[in-house]
Amino acid sequence: MTDRQNRVGSKFGGGGVASAQNAERDRKERLRELALESIDLAKDPYLMRNHLGTYECKLCLTLHTNEGNYLAHTQGKKHQQGLARRALMEQKKAEALPAASSTALLQKQQKPAKVRIGRPGYQVSKSRDVETNQRCLSFLVEYPECSVDVQPRHRFMSAYEQRVEAADKAFQYLLIACDPYETVAFKIPNEPIDKEEGRFSTNWDSDAKKFTLTLFFLNPED
């Protein structure tokens, strides 16, 4: 309690005239006591106790020696202005969110869904080169319903990338894809493929809508 009895310039028995400094100290003390009664610090998102045992205000980036000092800070001008700025920022975000969500939903609705029409017809043939004795695989896949501006694509996939069957390192997969058909995968030996000219080739017949891929495996001694 502030001693108002023995201030300089005051009469004995009178309350005395409080200085501006003492009045400000009393005001902060009253605010601190009011805050202690009405504020639950456990729910304050901006209060953080650091490893030194002091308290930090994450909103204002200030340090405080104890909870009472922090509570007095929360009633001050700087903290209140910080709360007002944060509330305004959150309000702007909330107003912008529905518009962004509506735009995303509209774009999703306007984007046509891809319709798959099943697995394409295909043929696989095996042979050997009479001169090099290299094993050869040739794949012919038919896409009669594909668009004129679409061309089939292919890639090789290891056994560990797929999730359809147990991985076997002795095999790899050749994938051939072309919308709107399902992607087809061919299981082939996991052996080096000859990439020299004439040993690996692809061809897309846009008139007949047929895709051909031919590959040769390297001989073990190569």
Side-chain angles (χ1 to χ4, degrees), residues 198-212:
R199 302 283 91 183
F200 184 92
S201 62
T202 62
N203 179 67
W204 170 237
D205 187 337
S206 58
D207 295 326
K209 303 291 183 69
K210 294 181 179 180
F211 178 75
T212 305

Side-chain angles (χ1 to χ4, degrees), residues 3-130:
D3 183 7
R4 302 178 187 272
Q5 183 71 30
N6 299 309
R7 286 196 183 93
V8 176
S10 63
K11 294 182 180 181
F12 180 76
V17 180
S19 66
Q21 184 178 4
N22 290 333
E24 179 64 15
R25 186 185 301 115
D26 289 345
R27 186 186 70 84
K28 289 184 177 180
E29 179 64 20
R30 289 196 300 271
L31 289 174
R32 186 186 72 83
E33 292 176 355
L34 179 62
L36 282 171
E37 296 175 359
S38 58
I39 297 177
D40 185 0
L41 289 177
K43 297 180 181 179
D44 190 332
Y46 304 114
L47 174 63
M48 181 181 72
R49 186 170 185 177
N50 59 31
H51 66 286
L52 299 175
T54 56
Y55 297 85
E56 297 182 24
C57 176
K58 294 189 289 184
L59 179 65
C60 306
L61 303 179
T62 54
L63 288 173
H64 305 277
T65 56
N66 52 53
E67 292 182 353
N69 185 263
Y70 169 78
L71 285 170
H73 160 75
T74 62
Q75 307 305 308
K77 183 178 180 181
K78 181 178 181 179
H79 191 83
Q80 294 299 318
Q81 288 179 340
L83 290 175
R85 286 195 299 269
R86 178 60 62 90
L88 181 61
M89 183 174 61
E90 295 295 336
Q91 181 181 356
K92 289 182 178 179
K93 285 184 179 180
E95 291 174 353
L97 185 60
S101 299
S102 300
T103 302
L105 180 60
L106 182 61
Q107 291 175 346
K108 185 177 180 180
Q109 291 174 343
Q110 291 176 344
K111 186 177 181 181
K114 290 184 178 180
V115 179
R116 299 295 180 184
I117 60 176
R119 184 179 300 174
Y122 61 87
Q123 296 177 13
V124 181
S125 58
K126 302 178 182 180
S127 61
R128 280 187 182 270
D129 188 299
V130 294

